[in-house]
Amino acid sequence: QSALTQPASVSGSPGQSITISCTGTSSDVVGYNYVSWYQQHPGKAPKLMIYDVSNRPSGVSNRFSGSKSGNTASLTISGLQAEDEADYYCSSYTSSSTLVVFGGGTKLTVL
Amino acid sequence: EVQLLESGGGLVQPGGSLRLSCAASGFTFSSYAMSWVRQAPGKGLEWVSALSGSGGSTDYADSVKGRFSISRDNSKNTLYLQMNSLRAEDTAVYYCAKDQEVAAAGQFDYWGQGTLVTVSS
């Protein structure tokens, strides 16, 4: 079982907005702003989409945004496009015995 | 352009050893922490180990502690993962990942293409 909890799947139609949640604890999401989101297409390496809860790396579309409230971080994708269909993982720095924890991943389907 | 190129994966018997390498280019290697992250077939991401830019600070996942050892040669811009006492559950694609800071914070802005390690008799 993953340390961070994500829904297994979400879906949306082109042009719509979706939000993926990532629930943690006081040892990770609550206690630190080192929350990241990664996009992974089949057979490819993960790609950083959001870091420090809400910052976008250069080159990432502004359709992707991140936020955090209490023990839950969220990734919102607006104006869904077919190319957004992928697996998405959240991660957080943690004060537990392991440095980094990932969520179990969420499969986004664009209908 | 930042590039990370892993090598060293392959088929190994349970109890065996393997050393992975990650050749880095396009950035000042010694200025950033580096990590190994793995992904078992059909499964999610699992952080394995991290090493600070200077090489002075290491961290390991509980699942590999005592069996795996991370190191780096900043003169060769190369990261390593020595894997001993391998188990079937270590079977995965192993990714080399660059942290955004000199001290590991677990936010990876660049990833290699991965190298597959298969532990099987």
Side-chain angles (χ1 to χ4, degrees):
Chain A
Q1 189 169 356
S2 301
L4 303 179
T5 302
Q6 298 180 233
S9 63
V10 298
S11 63
S13 299
Q16 288 186 332
S17 295
I18 63 95
T19 297
I20 300 173
S21 61
C22 171
T23 302
T25 69
S26 57
S27 297
D28 39 68
V29 172
V30 176
Y32 303 94
N33 285 329
Y34 292 132
V35 176
S36 304
W37 289 90
Y38 301 90
Q39 176 192 65
Q40 187 179 35
H41 286 108
K44 301 295 186 181
K47 175 186 176 183
L48 180 66
M49 306 302 285
I50 296 289
Y51 67 96
D52 290 352
V53 176
S54 61
N55 291 330
R56 274 189 314 276
S58 174
V60 172
S61 170
N62 59 10
R63 297 186 298 105
F64 291 83
S65 62
S67 63
K68 185 179 80 168
S69 178
N71 67 342
T72 300
S74 299
L75 173 71
T76 298
I77 309 173
S78 60
L80 269 180
Q81 299 179 359
E83 67 209 49
D84 299 332
E85 185 163 293
D87 294 325
Y88 290 85
Y89 294 90
C90 64
S91 75
S92 175
Y93 180 89
T94 175
S95 59
S96 70
S97 60
T98 184
L99 182 76
V100 181
V101 290
F102 283 96
T106 298
K107 181 176 181 59
L108 169 61
T109 300
V110 180
L111 303 172
Chain B
E1 178 191 8
V2 172
Q3 290 193 351
L4 300 172
L5 185 61
E6 302 96 335
S7 60
L11 175 63
V12 61
Q13 292 188 339
S17 298
L18 213 54
R19 189 176 86 152
L20 306 183
S21 299
C22 171
S25 62
F27 64 102
T28 304
F29 185 65
S30 60
S31 293
Y32 297 94
M34 299 291 295
S35 278
W36 290 97
V37 178
R38 68 184 181 185
Q39 186 169 35
K43 302 297 184 182
L45 301 173
E46 180 189 15
W47 172 80
V48 172
S49 182
L51 183 59
S52 62
S54 66
S57 177
T58 60
D59 291 279
Y60 297 94
D62 290 341
S63 57
V64 307
K65 205 168 291 184
R67 299 188 299 123
F68 289 12
S69 177
I70 191 171
S71 62
R72 65 194 297 160
D73 185 336
N74 286 344
S75 68
K76 296 182 178 179
N77 290 350
T78 303
L79 177 73
Y80 303 100
L81 185 68
Q82 178 67 44
M83 304 185 295
N84 299 328
S85 303
L86 283 162
R87 306 166 180 168
E89 54 265 35
D90 295 319
T91 293
V93 172
Y94 284 73
Y95 294 101
C96 164
K98 171 186 170 293
D99 208 295
Q100 291 189 308
E101 304 183 14
V102 65
Q107 299 190 111
F108 311 118
D109 53 2
Y110 291 94
W111 297 64
Q113 86 291 346
T115 186
L116 177 62
V117 172
T118 303
V119 184
S120 175
S121 55

